[in-house]
Amino acid sequence: MTFDEAWPICNSIPGSFTCTNAKALWEAAKTITAPYARIAEVGVDQGRSASILMAASQPGWVIALVDSWESVLIDNKFKVQAMLKQFPREQFGLGWIIHAPSKVAGEDVKDPLNLVHIDANHYDHHPAEDCEVWLPKLVSGGLACFHDFEASFPAVTEAVNKYTKEWEVVGNFESLAIRRKP
């Protein structure tokens, strides 16, 4: 699948992930050369950005889709399950839904990660907690992507700047920051 084929799927799902964000996430995923890559998306909501990760994936990859889907947001989990049906395992990676808060889900994900996309709770201590849980799981050279960086969420920007201070800045693509772990 190409990005031009993946974008209409992504764009049909409600959310604030822009075409520029999606293209940057696509390119980040496409840099992965490991045949059994491990990816985590923390904060899936309805699956808009997750659809890009799924479309960019290859058979043998595992994409952990982590969200707490609290209260009325539980319906979004069912939307993500429906979205995953568009990506059969014979052609794409395995989408693994983890319905749990970020910190709890981090205990379930033991494999080293090649890429993590963090787009969960943007307030208070949560972005820092997500960095503490997920960034140590990245392999050296792995990519961390952060949505809503330098947007209207100071806690996201502060956490990214603190926890990736010595990391390579791959780029900032509108509100998506991408950093490479040393």
Side-chain angles (χ1 to χ4, degrees):
M1 182 175 281
T2 66
F3 177 77
D4 289 337
E5 294 167 323
W7 173 244
I9 296 168
C10 176
N11 199 32
S12 72
I13 300 169
S16 62
F17 210 70
T18 68
C19 185
T20 299
N21 297 157
K23 180 71 170 176
L25 186 61
W26 172 273
E27 294 296 333
K30 286 299 189 179
T31 66
I32 298 171
T33 58
Y36 298 103
R38 299 293 179 257
I39 296 172
E41 177 166 273
V42 182
V44 180
D45 190 30
Q46 297 182 61
R48 186 172 172 95
S49 53
S51 70
I52 290 296
L53 291 172
M54 291 303 302
S57 72
Q58 300 176 21
W61 289 18
V62 176
I63 301 92
L65 303 174
V66 176
D67 205 302
S68 61
W69 290 294
E70 295 175 335
S71 187
V72 297
L73 297 178
I74 187 66
D75 288 344
N76 290 347
K77 177 183 175 182
F78 304 119
K79 293 175 184 178
V80 172
Q81 289 171 329
M83 177 273 295
L84 288 175
K85 291 178 182 174
Q86 298 178 68
F87 300 100
R89 286 183 67 183
E90 303 79 41
Q91 293 176 272
F92 302 95
L94 168 66
W96 170 32
I97 292 176
I98 304 175
H99 185 168
S102 174
K103 191 172 184 177
V104 173
E107 296 170 8
D108 288 341
V109 178
K110 304 288 187 224
D111 292 322
L113 299 174
N114 303 91
L115 185 148
V116 63
H117 176 226
I118 298 176
D119 190 15
N121 188 328
H122 295 359
Y123 299 100
D124 302 322
H125 68 281
H126 296 286
E129 183 177 88
D130 289 338
C131 288
E132 289 170 4
V133 170
W134 296 96
L135 297 184
K137 296 178 181 300
L138 272 176
V139 298
S140 178
L143 295 174
C145 306
F146 306 90
H147 192 237
D148 292 319
F149 176 78
E150 292 186 342
S152 300
F153 303 98
V156 172
T157 304
E158 290 168 15
V160 172
N161 289 339
K162 176 181 178 181
Y163 289 93
T164 65
K165 188 176 184 177
E166 303 297 322
W167 296 27
E168 174 190 349
V169 175
V170 175
N172 298 321
F173 306 89
E174 289 178 344
S175 60
L176 185 72
I178 302 179
R179 306 291 185 262
R180 183 177 315 279
K181 187 175 183 177

